[in-house]
Amino acid sequence: MSPTAPPTVVIVPGLRDHVPDHWQTVLADRIAGARTVPPLTSGRLNCGAQVTALNEVLSDIAGPVVVVAHSAGVMTVAHWARRHRRPIAGALLATPPDFGTPLPEGHPTPEALRENGWLPVPRTTLPFPSIVAASTDDPLADFDRVAELARAWGSRLVDLGPVGHLNPASGHGEWPRAEELVRELGRIPSEASVRRPV
């Protein structure tokens, strides 16, 4: 009998995360067979369009999947889980923003988020194992609010300490712990997950 193939890792970036030095981009390059939800060319702020883009990637994968989402990508996953059913081995949900309170200047307003379908944020238990990785000094979400979301989703909460929004703007590129958490969620042995140097 052949061994079970490791899950496909699906990267779900936030609204601004398609950049080379983001940890998700680095992770996608390191994990064999990883897929990334492509950036939208129009309607980027539309929640339904983001959910559809994620579902198209997931529908193209036959086997098990581990989802790795950051920022608004986490909210995309939460909305996807309300509308679609497909087995997911696990989800790493890193630094979700708090769409329930006004975001800093330069980010979408509550009105824009509501008009584009992001609000209300789903607060039902996710139908798959999940880890919410939260920052203690995230400018887009108070730690206690993220902890509430994690409880509502049935997720394990991981305190990352003061890492800002865990993005290049907060001084974070590669995030080695992501790979460890992905392996935990997908029960992927380390030698199977990382691409060998060519």
Side-chain angles (χ1 to χ4, degrees):
M1 180 191 277
S2 62
T4 305
T8 299
V9 172
V10 173
I11 307 288
V12 189
L15 299 177
R16 306 175 177 191
D17 290 350
H18 288 276
V19 292
D21 53 347
H22 196 283
W23 63 266
Q24 285 184 304
T25 309
V26 174
L27 186 68
D29 288 341
R30 284 184 54 79
I31 294 184
R35 302 275 305 274
T36 299
V37 177
L40 298 179
T41 54
S42 63
R44 181 177 59 87
L45 189 55
N46 185 274
C47 179
Q50 295 285 355
V51 168
T52 296
L54 169 58
N55 195 55
E56 286 174 357
V57 172
L58 292 173
S59 298
D60 195 39
I61 300 168
V65 167
V66 170
V67 172
V68 179
H70 176 252
S71 192
V74 174
M75 298 308 175
T76 299
V77 171
H79 281 279
W80 176 88
R82 257 189 21 187
R83 304 175 196 184
H84 299 279
R85 282 293 173 262
R86 181 221 192 277
I88 300 291
L92 172 56
L93 309 172
T95 57
D98 180 10
F99 281 174
T101 58
L103 298 173
E105 189 175 345
H107 294 275
T109 64
E111 295 75 19
L113 291 170
R114 187 170 300 281
E115 287 168 9
N116 282 279
W118 296 99
L119 297 174
V121 170
R123 288 180 170 267
T124 52
T125 304
L126 295 173
F128 41 78
S130 56
I131 294 171
V132 169
S135 168
T136 55
D137 65 349
D138 191 338
L140 301 188
D142 179 77
F143 182 86
D144 291 337
R145 296 272 293 179
V146 175
E148 287 174 17
L149 269 182
R151 281 193 294 274
W153 290 338
S155 306
R156 178 163 74 87
L157 180 67
V158 172
D159 181 345
L160 299 179
V163 296
H165 195 50
L166 194 64
N167 59 0
S170 61
H172 295 275
E174 186 170 359
W175 178 36
R177 192 166 181 199
E179 205 169 323
E180 169 195 328
L181 295 172
V182 167
R183 284 199 303 269
E184 176 186 331
L185 284 162
R187 293 173 175 78
I188 305 168
S190 58
E191 63 276 7
S193 66
V194 181
R195 288 184 176 151
R196 299 291 183 200
V198 194

